[in-house]
Amino acid sequence: MATIQLKNVFKKYENGFEAVKDFNLEIADKEFIIFVGPSGCGKSTTLRMIAGLEDITSGDLLIDGVRMNDVEPKDRDIAMVFQNYALYPHMTVAENMAFALKLKKTPKEEIKAKVDEAARILNLETLLDRKPAQLSGGQRQRVAMGRAIVRNPKVFLMDEPLSNLDAKLRVQMRTEISKLHQRLGNTIIYVTHDQTEAMTLGTRIVVMKDGIIQQCDTPKNLYNHPDNMFVAGFIGSPQMNFVECEVHETAGEVVLKYSGNTLKVPADRAAALKKGGYINKKVIMGIRPENIHDKEHSLKEYADVLKVNVSVYELVGSEVYLYFEVGGANMIARVNPNTSARVGSDVELYVDAEAIHLFDRDTEKVIR
Amino acid sequence: MNELLKSYEQHYQFQLRLTIDGQSVFCGFKETAASELAFDRDEEHVLLECTQKDAKRTLESIKIALMPFLVSVSENELFELALYSKADEHELGLLKNKMAENQYVLVMMSGTKELDAVKEIFSQLIEHELPMIMKQNNLLVLMDIDAKSDWIRKLEAIRSTMETELYVSLRMSVSSVFEDLNEIKDRFEEVKQVQQLIEKYDPACLMAEPSNTWMLEMIDSLSEKKSQKMMDSLVHGDLKLLEDELILTAVSFMENNLSISATARALYVHRNTLIYRLDKIYQRTGLDIRKFEDALKLRLAMTMMKK
Ligand SMILES: Nc1ncnc2c1ncn2[C@@H]1O[C@H](COP(=O)(O)OP(=O)(O)OP(=O)(O)O)[C@@H](O)[C@H]1O
Ligand SMILES: [Mg+2]
C-alpha cells in the first residue's frame, strides 16, 4: 500500500528561484504516474522533494496519510532509479544488488531471498555471478533496477531512467518496466520528457510547465481533451496544428473562418463558443496532423476540404507527413503513404471537423 | 648494508625523512642496519654517509632496503602532503606509482553530512583504490583518468548512484586535468573555487567542472561597480523585469546552440511561439539573441545579475 499526496507544495531554492508552485496531486496505490514537461519545468525537483533529497519549502507531503516533510529520506520507504548510474565494478551482479542491504545490516538469509526474488523478476538469475564488465547495456540497466527492487519500497521514484540508452534498448526496457510494475504492484513515479514513454507507460500523466501542473489525466484524456494549448502541443507527435480563426454565426450555424476557408463547428463546441461570447472574435483552432486526411485516399468523406500547396514531403516509416502553410501558419498532415502528393503539389485535404479543439487566444485555455 | 657503508672513504651527508604507516618518522642513521632504521625515531635526521661518487647508487640500495617500509606509506598521507606542497619529488614519485593512469583530476564532494558513507560507497564504485582525504565538509579524491575516455560522465554516474544508494543530495566538483603531481596544490585551489562559483551562480548544477565555470570566474572577479557598469552597457532595460518564461526561453535557446527548431522541440512550443518570445526579448533588452554576439551579451548579463 502506498498512496502519496502532495498538498500546496512549493519549492523555492536558496537563490530565490521558485521551481515548483502550488503542486497538488493525489497518487493512488499501485499507480504508475508520469511527470512530463520541458526541461527545467520542475520534474526532478518535485521527485527529489518526494525522496527527501530536497526540502519542501511549504506544503505537505504525505505517504499513506503520514506527513513525510521531516522524515529522513532513508525512512520514507522509497527507492530511486536515476538516469545515470554506476555499478560496483568489483562485485558480482548478486553483490551489486545486495550491497545496500548489507550496509543496512540486513540478515544474510533475508538479503539472499530478496536478491533471488529481484533476479527472478528481472531475468537475471543466470547472471548472478557475473561482474558488470561482462554484462550488456540492458543487463546493466536491469541490475541498477534490481538495486532498487531489493529494497522492497512502497514507492519507486525514477528520474529519466532510460534516457541514456539507445533507441532500441529504450523501447525494450520500457516494456520491461511496464511488466515490472504489473508484477510488483508498487506505486511508481516516473519522470521523463519523452512523451511516447509517458503515453505508453503511465496510468496517469502529470504535464508540467514552469513549475506548475498544467493537467493531470490518463494518456487518452490528455490526447482527446487537452485543457490548454501547451498540453495540446505537448501530447501527440507530430504536434497539433494551431491556426488562428475568426468565429462567425450565420443562420444559427457557428463557423470558423481562416484564410479563405470556412469550417462548420460541431454542435458541442459551437455551444461553448456562444456561451463564452466568442462570436465575431478570434480563437485558435487546434487540429492534429492525424485528423487531416488526403482526400484522394480517404475512406470517409468529410465536409471540409482544404486546398494547400505542399512545401515538404516526409516519409516516416509507414506514414507520410505533408507540410504546408495556411494563412501564415505552418501545418502538418499525417496522410496515407500512398498519397501522390509531393513537394510543390497542390492537394486537397479533408479536415475532420469533429476532431478540432478550440482555444482562447489570450489565456490559451480550451474553450468548453 | 653495513658493509656497503663501511667501505666508503669519503663521507657525504644526507637528510632522509620517512613516512611509515601514515606517520612521519625521522631517524638518525650512521652505520646502523637498515632494518633498524624505521624503529629508531628519536633523532632528527637520517644521516647517510657515503662517497659522492657512489651517492646515487647508495641511495638506490637504501631504497631497496627500505622498500618493506616504504610500501606501507599511506597514499592518503602522501596526498595530504602534496596538497600543501610538502611532498618532495620522491614522495610524489611514490604517489604516482600508486596511480594507474598519468593524468589526474581532483574531485571534491560536498553537500551532505554523511561523508563517511560517501567515502565508503565511492571506494566501491571506482575501479581501483585512490587517495582520499576529508577536508572540512568535503571529501577530496585524487583521481587518475584516461582523458580520452568519457570520465566526466562516469563520475556523474557515480555521483548519481551515491545519491540513490545513500539517500543524500551530493555535489561534485572537479578540477581541470593535470599531469604533473606538483600541481596538486593549485588544482586544490581551483576545485575549491569551482565549487564556490557553482554554488553561488548555478546551484542547480550538481556536477561542476572548470569548463562550465570560466565565465563565472571572470564575472566574479569584477568589482561591484564595474559589473554594474558593464551590465548597463550590455543590455537596455532591467533584466530583473524579464519574466521567468523569457529567461527560461533564453537559457534553453543558448543551451540548444541558438537553434530555433531544437529549442522549440525542447520547450515543446511552436516555432512561431518561440520566435514571438525571442522578439519579445529583443524589445525588452535590445538584444537579438539569434545573433551570437547578442546571445553572449545576454548570457553575460544574466550571470552578472546573479552576483
Ligand atoms: N539547487 C538549485 N538551486 C537553484 N535552482 C535550481 C536548483 N536545482 C534546480 N534548480 C532550477 O529549478 C528548475 C527546475 O529544475 P528541475 O531539475 O526540477 O527541472 P526538470 O524538469 O527536471 O528538467 P530536466 O528535464 O532538464 O531534467 C530549473 O530552472 C533549475 O535550474
Ligand atoms: Mg530533471
Side-chain angles (χ1 to χ4, degrees), chain A residues 15 38 48 53 73-74 78 80 82 84-91 99 103 147 151 193 209-210 234, chain B residues 114 120-121 124-127 156-158 160-161 163-165 167-169 203 206 245 248 266-268 270:
Chain A
N15 64 358
R48 290 170 76 88
L53 300 191
K74 281 193 207 37
I78 49 137
M80 301 172 268
F82 290 166
N84 296 307
Y85 62 89
L87 300 179
Y88 301 108
H90 303 296
M91 298 183 195
F99 191 58
L103 286 183
R147 285 199 302 216
R151 294 171 190 260
H193 57 235
K209 182 184 161 237
D210 302 340
F234 192 84
Chain B
E114 304 194 32
E120 172 157 7
I121 300 269
Q124 296 295 332
L125 283 168
I126 49 182
E127 297 286 336
E156 163 55 22
I158 288 176
S160 185
T161 302
E163 285 195 328
T164 56
E165 290 280 88
Y167 296 83
V168 296
S169 177
L206 291 173
E245 184 174 84
L248 285 174
L267 292 174
Y268 288 91
H270 199 275

Side-chain angles (χ1 to χ4, degrees), chain B residues 62-265:
Chain B
I62 287 183
K63 219 162 114 185
I64 290 162
L66 291 179
M67 251 340 161
F69 306 108
L70 290 178
V71 278
S72 66
V73 174
S74 119
E75 54 198 2
N76 294 345
E77 181 81 14
L78 290 170
F79 180 31
E80 177 128 31
L81 286 173
L83 213 51
Y84 297 104
S85 288
K86 284 188 187 153
D88 57 27
E89 280 309 313
H90 176 65
E91 283 160 335
L92 287 180
L94 285 175
L95 192 55
K96 199 176 166 77
N97 284 341
K98 297 196 185 264
M99 314 297 280
E101 306 281 346
N102 48 17
Q103 284 174 310
Y104 319 94
V105 286
L106 282 189
V107 183
M108 191 146 114
M109 284 168 259
S110 62
T112 168
K113 286 180 210 89
E114 304 194 32
L115 280 179
D116 284 321
V118 168
K119 189 173 168 187
E120 172 157 7
I121 300 269
F122 186 82
S123 349
Q124 296 295 332
L125 283 168
I126 49 182
E127 297 286 336
H128 56 91
E129 253 183 84
L130 292 173
M132 291 183 210
I133 47 177
M134 302 280 195
K135 276 272 153 261
Q136 285 109 32
N137 294 318
N138 302 304
L139 174 64
L140 199 64
V141 182
L142 174 65
M143 188 161 164
D144 55 343
I145 55 150
D146 174 0
K148 286 195 290 293
S149 71
D150 202 356
W151 60 275
I152 194 91
R153 233 198 75 192
K154 276 190 210 148
L155 262 180
E156 163 55 22
I158 288 176
R159 190 199 65 77
S160 185
T161 302
M162 290 191 288
E163 285 195 328
T164 56
E165 290 280 88
L166 293 168
Y167 296 83
V168 296
S169 177
L170 190 69
R171 184 186 297 284
M172 208 181 241
S173 311
V174 300
S175 71
S176 41
V177 179
F178 59 103
E179 288 180 10
D180 181 353
L181 287 176
N182 278 307
E183 283 179 33
I184 286 184
K185 186 173 181 232
D186 296 338
R187 297 295 147 221
F188 181 39
E189 294 307 318
E190 181 188 22
V191 73
K192 276 195 287 193
Q193 199 190 15
V194 165
Q195 192 196 45
Q196 267 172 16
L197 288 169
I198 281 288
E199 274 176 6
K200 186 167 167 188
Y201 292 98
D202 189 10
C205 171
L206 291 173
M207 181 79 218
E209 37 169 339
S211 65
N212 47 36
T213 52
W214 63 269
M215 188 194 279
L216 307 180
E217 190 179 339
M218 238 167 56
I219 288 171
D220 200 62
S221 64
L222 295 175
S223 70
E224 197 82 4
K225 221 171 112 190
K226 204 159 186 178
S227 54
Q228 188 57 51
K229 212 174 127 197
M230 204 156 149
M231 184 126 155
D232 292 342
S233 72
L234 286 173
V235 285
H236 309 302
D238 192 351
L239 268 192
K240 287 200 193 77
L241 298 178
L242 220 55
E243 298 97 318
D244 286 354
E245 184 174 84
L246 294 184
I247 298 266
L248 285 174
T249 302
V251 170
S252 177
F253 188 57
M254 292 172 202
E255 275 170 5
N256 286 288
N257 301 316
L258 314 189
S259 153
I260 301 253
S261 43
T263 311
R265 236 178 292 131

Side-chain angles (χ1 to χ4, degrees), chain A residues 135-146:
Chain A
L135 299 177
S136 72
Q139 290 165 339
R140 269 184 232 148
Q141 176 77 44
R142 276 186 275 161
V143 177
M145 272 320 164

Side-chain angles (χ1 to χ4, degrees), chain A residues 38-45 48 83 159-160 191 193:
Chain A
S39 184
C41 72
K43 305 178 294 287
S44 298
T45 302
R48 290 170 76 88
Q83 168 178 8
D159 196 341
E160 311 212 17
V191 167
H193 57 235

Side-chain angles (χ1 to χ4, degrees), chain A residues 308-345:
Chain A
V308 303
N309 184 268
V310 176
S311 58
V312 178
Y313 165 97
E314 203 172 77
L315 177 67
V316 183
S318 60
E319 290 159 348
V320 163
Y321 300 158
L322 300 178
Y323 294 66
F324 50 92
E325 225 187 87
V326 175
N330 295 310
M331 293 182 64
I332 305 178
R334 189 157 108 191
V335 299
N336 189 308
N338 296 322
T339 185
S340 56
R342 292 293 181 273
V343 174
S345 328

Side-chain angles (χ1 to χ4, degrees), chain A residues 96-108:
Chain A
N96 257 282
M97 294 199 271
F99 191 58
L101 300 180
K102 230 160 98 186
L103 286 183
K104 272 206 311 199
K105 311 242 177 337
T106 311
K108 261 203 184 119

